[in-house]
Amino acid sequence: MEEKLERILRKVQKPARYTGGELNQIIKENCGVNVAFCFPDLYEIGMSNLGMRILYAVMNKMEDVSCQRVFAPWTDMEKEMRENDVPLYALETGKPVKEFDIIAFTLGYEMAYSQVLNMLDLAGVPLHAADRHGIENIVIAGGVCVYNGEPLADFVDVFSLGEGEEALPEFIDLYRKAKNEGWSKKRFLRAAADIEGFYVPSLYDISYNSDGTVAAITPLDGAPAVITKRIVRDMDKALYPTDMIVPSMEIVHDRVTLELFRGCIRGCRFCQAGYVYRPVRSKSVETLLEQARESLESSGYQEVSLSSLSSSDYRPLADLCDGLLEYCEPRKTSLSLPSLRADNFSVELMEKVQKVRKSGLTFAPEAGSQRLRDAINKNVREEDVLNACRVAFEGGWNQVKLYFMLGLPTETDEDVVAIAELAFKVLREWKMHASNKARGVRITVSTSFFVPKPHTPYQWEQQITMEEYERRCTLLKDSMRTKAIGYNWHDGKTSYLEAALARGDRRLGKVIEKAWELGARLDGWSETFDFDLWMRAFSECGVDPDFYATRERGEDEILPWDMVFVGVNKEHFKLERSLSRKDRLSPDCRAGCMHCGADCLNGGKCDE
Amino acid sequence: MNRLLFEKTGRAAYMSHLDLMRTVPRAFMRAGVAIKHTEGFNPHAFVSVAMPLSVYQESICELLNFELLPGEISLEQLPEKLNSCLPEGIKVLKAYDARRPFKQIEALEAKITLTYDRGGAAEKTEALTELFGRSQLVINKKTKSGYKDTDVRPGIKSVSFAAAGENIVECLCTVSAKEPVLNPEAVVTVINTLAPEHAPDFYRIMRLSLRDAEGKIFE
Ligand code: SF4
Ligand code: SF4
C-alpha cells in the first residue's frame, strides 16, 4: 500500500473498508480488459450484495479479463482523498479507477444516484458521457434501477438490462474486439446496442410535449426500438461463487446467502421486483445443498440464509431445509429464513429452524384491511397472519415485526386504522397462546411510504403528498391503543425523492448533477441525506419534483422507460391496475397464469 | 492448550482486534480443523490472544491460544493449512503446545519508524535521545479510570533512536506488558506532547517480540 494512502487511512473510521486484501479476492495481472466494478455505497453494504459477488466471479472467470472492486468512501474518507489528491482506486491492487477500460456500476436504489457522479468525479473521470471521447472508461450500469435509467442517461454510456451472467461476457468480448481494433467510441456503442439487453441512451432522441410529458422516443442510427432484458434460463448452470471473498471486517450480511430462485410467483401490484425478475426460475435442491456446503467450507461462515423474493414459495423447501439442517446442526451452523410468508407458513419448518437458533419473526401484510390487501394483490388473509403468530408464540417466539405501506392506491383512513387493529389482534394471540409470558412480547409495526415504480401496475399512479403521508402516520399512531406495540415509520422525504427519481426522465440529469454539486452524497443514509439541498437543486434547475412524484399519468402517455421491455406487457399492467381498482385478486403464477408475457423470455416456460 | 505464533502486517494491520477474533476462528473452519467451542446458545470457537494489537500497528510476534480437538491434524501441519485460509497479511509461523501462561509476559519490544517529510533525521535523533533521557515523561494517557496525567517513563524499559537516511528515524523500544501496560504508541505521544517541534509527519509501529521476566523471548 502506498504511504500516501496509509497516511489518510489513519484519519478515517473503519479503515478496513478501504484496504482490500481479504481472503479469496481475485488479482489478475496484465489482462486485456480491466473492469472496475463500482458499488455506489459503503463496503459493508456492497459486499453484502449477492449480485455483485456473482458478477465479480463471472468476469474474473473470463480469460484475459480482470475485475476489481470499488466502493463509495464515507464522507471522512472522501474529504481526505480530495485533500490529499488520492483518486478513487480499486481495492484489489490500488489501481486508480481512471486506468480501467470499463467502469461498471450496480444500481439497486435510486438514492445512490448522486454517489455515481461522486465516484466518477473522485476517479477523475468526466461526468458526462459526451465528454468521454475515447473507448477507455466506458461507463456501464446495471441493477434494478436501470429498468428506468433515464435520470442517469447523461452520465452512463450503456445500461445493462436484466441478469448479467451471460450478457456481460458478450459485452466484454465486444469491448475487447473494439479495443484491439482501435474502434471509435461511437462505433463501439452502436455495436453494443445490437447485443440483446444493452440500452445505449445516446442512441435515442427524446422529445417532449408542451405539458412536459414525453412526445416521442426515437431510436437513432438503426438502434432497436425496444430493448428486452436478459435472463439466465437454467439456474442450475448459472455460476454461483462458492469461493467467495470473506471480508475481514463485519458487513451487513456476514454469512452465506443461498439464492433459491429468481422471480416471484405472487404479483403483488406495488412490487417492482415481483415484475422485473419474472419469470420464476429455480435451482434444484441438489444444486443448493452443494453450493451451501461448498460456500460454508470455503468461507468458514457459520450462518447460511435463504434469500429469494419469497423463499417459502420454493416448492421443495422442506427437503432443502432438511438437507441443510442435517449439514448445519453438527457444525453449529445456523440457518435463517428471512422472507417467510404468513399464508403457507409451516409449523414444522419453524420448529426445525428453531432447533438451531431462534430469531425474531417478520411478516409483511403490507396493508391493514382485507379490502386493501385484495386491491394490491397481497394474497394474505388475516387468519394466516394470526395463525402464523399463534404458532410462533406457542413455539416460544416473542418478537414479531409487521411491515406495512402507507399511501397505497385507494387507501382510506379505514385502511390505515385497520393496521393498528391487526397489530392488536396479534397481541391478543400472544396473550392467549404464548408458551412463556414471563419474557414479555415485542410487536413492532413499521410503515413505509409507498413509491410507485416503473414496470408495475401502479406505474401510472400518483404518490400521495408528504403532508398526507404524515397525516396518515399520525392517524395510525393515535390508533395504537397499547404500549405493547411499537410503531415506527420511514421518513417521508426520502420516499418522495425516491418517487421523483424512480419515474424520472432525462431532464432529471441536471438536477442530480446540481444536487451533487451542492453536496449530495450517500442519500440513503440519514446522516448524510439533505432533503432541502435536493429541493434547491430541483428549483435551481427549474424542474418540479411533483411532476414526477405526485402526478397521475394517463395510460396513453408515453412513459420515459417505454423502450425497456422486462417481459411483462403493458396491457397486463393495465389489466392488473383495473382489477386493483375493483379490489379483485389475481391468481399467482402457480394457481393460474395471467399471461403477462414473461414466459417469452424463457422459451414459453415459467416456474418449472 | 495449543498456541499459534503469527504475523499481522501490511493490509491486515487495518483489521481491528474484533475483526481478527472473527477471522481466525473462521480460518479454522475453512481449514476443516475442529477446535474447542464455547458452550451456550450461540457457540463460537474459543480463541484468546496474548495482547490485543491496536489498529494500524503491525506485528511479527502475535500469540493466540486455542485447543485442537482430539483426532485433528498434527500441529506441524497446521500453519500451512491455516495460511491458505487467512487474509493477506496474517501468516501463521508456528503452532505448538503452549507451555507457559501469558501472564509470564513482562515486556514488549517494538520498532517505531518515524518519518519527517522535511528531513533532518540526524538532528531529530539527537533531540529525541535527549528527550527520552529525562527522568519523567508525563503525558495525558487513557487509564482504567479515564484520561489522566501519567508518567510513562517507568513503563519504557529501554529506548533508542537512530537515523536511517534523511527522513527516517528508527526507534527501538521495550515497554512494559504488565500492569500498568504501556502501548508503544506512548512513545509517539510523548514526542507529540513534550516536543511537538519534533512530532513526526507519519509513523509506523511494529511489534518485534514479547519478553519474559529474564528478558528472554516469550513464545
Ligand atoms: S411476494 Fe409480493 S411483495 Fe414479495 S416479492 Fe413477490 S410480488 Fe413482491
Ligand atoms: S407468463 Fe404466466 S406464469 Fe409466467 S410469469 Fe407471466 S403470469 Fe406468471
Side-chain angles (χ1 to χ4, degrees):
Chain A
M1 219 186 302
E2 270 187 66
E3 187 176 303
K4 189 163 155 189
L5 178 58
E6 283 200 77
R7 286 189 186 203
I8 69 175
L9 288 180
R10 299 287 174 99
K11 300 185 194 157
V12 302
Q13 293 194 327
K14 300 198 183 177
R17 283 169 176 163
Y18 311 112
T19 57
E22 312 93 318
L23 182 80
N24 290 337
Q25 68 170 11
I26 303 172
I27 297 182
K28 289 167 82 180
E29 306 278 1
N30 303 322
C31 286
V33 182
N34 292 284
V35 184
F37 198 174
C38 304
F39 192 93
D41 207 324
L42 297 181
Y43 176 88
E44 50 267 48
I45 309 293
M47 285 306 294
S48 301
N49 184 285
L50 182 60
M52 182 164 190
R53 285 171 176 269
I54 292 176
L55 295 178
Y56 178 77
V58 165
M59 287 189 264
N60 276 314
K61 221 178 158 199
M62 291 178 74
E63 209 173 303
D64 202 29
V65 175
S66 157
C67 171
Q68 302 189 32
R69 296 160 300 148
V70 186
F71 298 94
W74 187 246
T75 46
D76 58 349
M77 181 65 172
E78 177 184 338
K79 179 172 162 280
E80 295 297 334
M81 289 169 76
R82 290 191 186 279
E83 280 173 9
N84 295 284
D85 291 318
V86 172
L88 192 68
Y89 60 92
L91 291 187
E92 277 75 2
T93 61
K95 177 163 143 159
V97 168
K98 198 180 169 48
E99 291 171 23
F100 283 80
D101 298 303
I102 298 173
I103 302 174
F105 282 93
T106 174
L107 297 173
Y109 186 31
E110 289 81 3
M111 304 309 276
Y113 288 175
S114 66
Q115 199 56 37
V116 172
L117 274 60
N118 197 41
M119 287 173 81
L120 288 174
D121 184 66
L122 278 169
V125 171
L127 297 187
H128 287 255
D131 296 334
R132 297 186 300 263
H133 303 291
I135 193 171
E136 64 283 345
N137 297 159
I138 290 286
V139 176
I140 177 170
V144 73
C145 287
V146 310
Y147 292 116
N148 176 28
E150 290 301 278
L152 291 177
D154 290 349
F155 316 105
V156 172
D157 294 306
V158 190
F159 291 106
S160 167
L161 307 179
E163 296 162 10
E165 282 102 326
E166 290 162 15
L168 266 183
E170 291 172 28
F171 179 82
I172 291 174
D173 282 338
L174 179 74
Y175 184 89
R176 186 199 322 275
K177 185 170 155 66
K179 187 180 174 185
N180 290 345
E181 296 176 8
W183 292 11
S184 68
K185 180 172 176 179
K186 190 164 179 257
R187 181 170 171 204
F188 168 69
L189 289 180
R190 179 62 196 85
D194 282 337
I195 312 178
E196 196 168 345
F198 289 89
Y199 166 52
V200 178
S202 58
L203 291 176
Y204 296 77
D205 180 65
I206 315 291
S207 55
Y208 302 93
N209 296 310
S210 55
D211 64 359
T213 57
V214 174
I217 301 173
T218 315
L220 309 172
D221 201 9
V226 172
I227 307 99
T228 304
K229 78 160 191 227
R230 296 283 293 266
I231 62 163
V232 170
R233 286 194 182 186
D234 187 346
M235 284 298 290
D236 282 328
K237 295 210 181 91
L239 181 67
Y240 174 85
T242 51
D243 47 355
M244 58 178 189
I245 296 177
V246 186
S248 302
M249 65 175 275
E250 198 166 7
I251 58 168
V252 179
H253 296 305
D254 221 352
R255 53 183 168 253
V256 168
T257 307
L258 284 185
E259 190 185 20
L260 313 189
F261 55 88
R262 290 206 182 139
C264 180
I265 59 167
R266 298 280 159 183
C268 303
R269 291 173 179 135
F270 56 83
C271 177
Q272 190 186 36
Y275 286 100
V276 299
Y277 292 116
R278 286 183 177 205
V280 169
R281 291 140 294 140
S282 307
K283 290 184 186 175
S284 68
V285 172
E286 295 74 53
T287 304
L288 287 166
L289 288 178
E290 194 182 300
Q291 291 176 348
R293 262 195 307 271
E294 280 179 23
S295 346
L296 285 167
E297 273 161 26
S298 81
S299 66
Y301 278 126
Q302 285 182 281
E303 183 176 352
V304 54
S305 80
L306 307 185
S307 130
S308 286
L309 287 177
S310 171
S311 296
S312 47
D313 284 328
Y314 183 60
R315 284 192 231 244
L317 184 62
D319 289 347
L320 175 68
C321 289
D322 283 343
L324 283 173
L325 287 168
E326 200 179 301
Y327 178 83
C328 291
E329 274 176 279
R331 285 166 188 79
K332 305 194 192 322
T333 294
S334 63
L335 170 64
S336 52
L337 305 164
S339 55
L340 288 172
R341 281 175 59 89
D343 59 348
N344 52 6
F345 194 86
S346 127
V347 184
E348 222 183 312
L349 184 61
M350 205 152 65
E351 283 170 349
K352 275 181 198 156
V353 175
Q354 186 189 352
K355 270 197 271 175
V356 189
R357 195 203 267 171
K358 190 179 298 187
S359 51
L361 282 177
T362 57
F363 296 114
E366 305 293 3
S369 70
Q370 195 59 49
R371 188 216 50 90
L372 187 53
R373 281 197 297 274
D374 289 350
I376 62 175
N377 207 33
K378 187 87 208 173
N379 207 338
V380 172
R381 289 168 309 153
E382 185 170 297
E383 307 89 275
D384 301 327
V385 175
L386 297 181
N387 273 341
C389 290
R390 178 176 47 79
V391 172
F393 294 143
E394 283 170 355
W397 264 271
N398 66 340
Q399 272 185 52
V400 176
K401 287 190 194 145
L402 300 166
Y403 288 100
F404 300 90
M405 268 190 256
L406 288 179
L408 287 161
T410 76
E411 183 178 73
T412 63
D413 283 1
E414 252 169 64
D415 299 314
V416 175
V417 174
I419 295 175
E421 283 160 10
L422 180 58
F424 194 71
K425 286 178 193 161
V426 170
L427 179 64
R428 216 169 48 204
E429 287 295 320
W430 179 79
K431 285 187 178 146
M432 278 156 48
H433 300 287
S435 60
N436 181 359
K437 287 208 187 76
R439 284 164 64 218
V441 65
R442 259 189 25 223
I443 298 170
T444 324
V445 169
S446 300
T447 58
S448 60
F449 182 7
F450 170 62
V451 177
K453 289 278 168 109
H455 307 287
T456 67
Y458 294 156
Q459 62 182 351
W460 296 278
E461 300 288 348
Q462 57 163 209
Q463 183 184 48
I464 59 169
T465 62
M466 281 189 285
E467 295 71 38
E468 176 57 17
Y469 169 67
E470 275 153 27
R471 189 191 65 81
R472 292 186 198 181
C473 289
T474 311
L475 172 65
L476 177 52
K477 188 162 161 269
D478 295 343
S479 320
M480 299 280 186
R481 282 174 290 167
T482 158
K483 288 210 167 63
I485 303 171
Y487 173 44
N488 45 58
W489 59 91
H490 281 215
D491 166 43
K493 290 171 174 167
T494 306
S495 305
Y496 172 69
L497 179 59
E498 189 185 331
L501 295 173
R503 291 185 297 169
D505 55 40
R506 289 186 184 188
R507 291 169 297 183
L508 289 190
K510 59 178 191 286
V511 178
I512 297 169
E513 190 172 350
K514 176 55 80 181
W516 168 76
E517 277 169 17
L518 293 172
R521 303 285 187 275
L522 298 159
D523 300 301
W525 295 83
S526 56
E527 296 94 319
T528 43
F529 179 54
D530 184 344
F531 182 71
D532 297 338
L533 174 159
W534 274 95
M535 290 307 108
R536 232 176 90 199
F538 273 102
S539 83
E540 282 184 26
C541 295
V543 175
D544 178 10
D546 279 345
F547 177 79
Y548 300 97
T550 58
R551 179 177 67 93
E552 180 179 340
R553 279 84 167 152
E555 285 191 6
D556 50 1
E557 188 177 319
I558 295 175
L559 300 170
W561 52 91
D562 270 352
M563 75 296 265
V564 169
F565 182 51
V566 298
V568 181
N569 297 312
K570 210 173 192 178
E571 289 313 309
H572 179 74
F573 290 137
K574 288 184 186 164
L575 170 68
E576 286 293 324
R577 186 186 192 209
S578 72
L579 290 171
S580 170
R581 296 199 160 179
K582 294 181 203 131
D583 301 336
R584 286 210 7 230
L585 287 168
S586 289
D588 64 53
C589 291
R590 250 168 230 171
C593 170
M594 291 287 284
H595 303 287
C596 75
D599 55 339
C600 73
L601 302 173
N602 199 27
K605 287 184 295 189
C606 286
D607 185 32
E608 283 184 350
Chain B
M1 189 65 71
N2 311 114
R3 187 167 288 166
L4 296 181
L5 169 69
F6 66 98
E7 293 180 355
K8 185 167 177 278
T9 60
R11 297 205 243 189
Y14 293 89
M15 277 171 68
S16 70
H17 176 63
L18 279 175
D19 294 337
L20 181 77
M21 298 310 278
R22 264 193 305 270
T23 298
V24 176
R26 267 183 208 153
F28 277 103
M29 288 294 290
R30 286 194 279 268
V33 176
I35 61 171
K36 199 172 143 196
H37 273 61
T38 56
E39 303 292 324
F41 208 58
N42 222 334
H44 52 92
F46 176 77
V47 295
S48 74
V49 299
M51 292 171 68
L53 184 65
S54 313
V55 189
Y56 313 128
Q57 296 190 11
E58 298 177 280
S59 173
I60 53 171
C61 61
E62 291 305 288
L63 299 180
L64 175 139
N65 284 349
F66 64 99
E67 206 165 316
L68 269 189
L69 291 183
E72 287 297 336
I73 61 161
S74 73
L75 286 167
E76 291 73 54
Q77 292 166 292
L78 196 55
E80 199 192 324
K81 231 170 159 165
L82 284 177
N83 283 337
S84 62
C85 300
L86 282 163
E88 189 184 302
I90 297 184
K91 191 170 159 214
V92 177
L93 305 170
K94 237 174 20 180
Y96 49 96
D97 283 318
R99 286 192 196 85
R100 309 168 71 187
F102 287 153
K103 64 173 190 290
Q104 291 181 8
I105 300 171
E106 289 278 333
L108 163 71
E109 185 200 11
K111 183 172 89 176
I112 306 175
T113 312
L114 306 160
T115 306
Y116 294 93
D117 291 346
R118 280 169 299 276
E123 298 89 88
K124 299 286 177 198
T125 303
E126 220 167 282
L128 294 176
T129 307
E130 198 191 299
L131 171 65
F132 281 83
R134 293 186 196 169
S135 58
Q136 265 199 345
L137 296 167
V138 178
I139 56 170
N140 201 258
K141 182 175 166 290
K142 197 177 170 184
T143 64
K144 285 196 174 124
S145 45
Y147 280 87
K148 264 196 192 144
D149 280 343
T150 317
D151 178 15
V152 295
R153 189 68 197 83
I156 303 175
K157 296 179 184 266
S158 73
V159 62
S160 64
F161 296 89
E166 189 49 26
N167 299 92
I168 307 273
V169 174
E170 276 182 1
C171 163
L172 274 179
C173 64
T174 305
V175 294
S176 169
K178 264 247 149 81
E179 281 307 327
V181 173
L182 195 69
N183 190 320
E185 181 107 35
V187 170
V188 183
T189 315
V190 165
I191 303 173
N192 290 348
T193 23
L194 301 182
E197 68 279 17
H198 300 307
D201 295 297
F202 183 66
Y203 63 92
R204 290 173 205 280
I205 297 176
M206 167 80 86
R207 280 185 181 176
L208 299 176
S209 66
L210 298 172
R211 303 284 170 152
D212 64 14
E214 274 122 60
K216 296 215 179 72
I217 293 207
F218 178 97
E219 270 187 15

